[in-house]
């Protein structure tokens, strides 16, 4: 599976507002989880 691009992660505007309101470590954790999910759905 080498050479394949990860899937794009899209979130809704309400979800983006919630994400922006989280403390920095929690926001980073969410992005890490989304990155991992996009890499291997």
């Amino acid at each position: 599976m080498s050479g394949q691009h990860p899937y794009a992660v899209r979130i809704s505007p309400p979800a983006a507002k919630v994400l922006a309101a989280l403390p920095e470590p929690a926001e980073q954790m969410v992005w890490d989880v989304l990155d991992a999910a996009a890499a291997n759905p």
Side-chain angles (χ1 to χ4, degrees):
M1 301 207 98
S2 165
Q4 291 186 350
H5 298 286
Y7 290 88
V9 174
R10 295 198 252 177
I11 57 175
S12 68
K17 287 181 184 178
V18 170
L19 184 60
L22 291 174
E24 183 66 30
E27 181 181 354
Q28 187 57 51
M29 185 183 305
V30 170
W31 283 115
D32 291 345
V33 168
L34 291 172
D35 286 342
N40 190 13

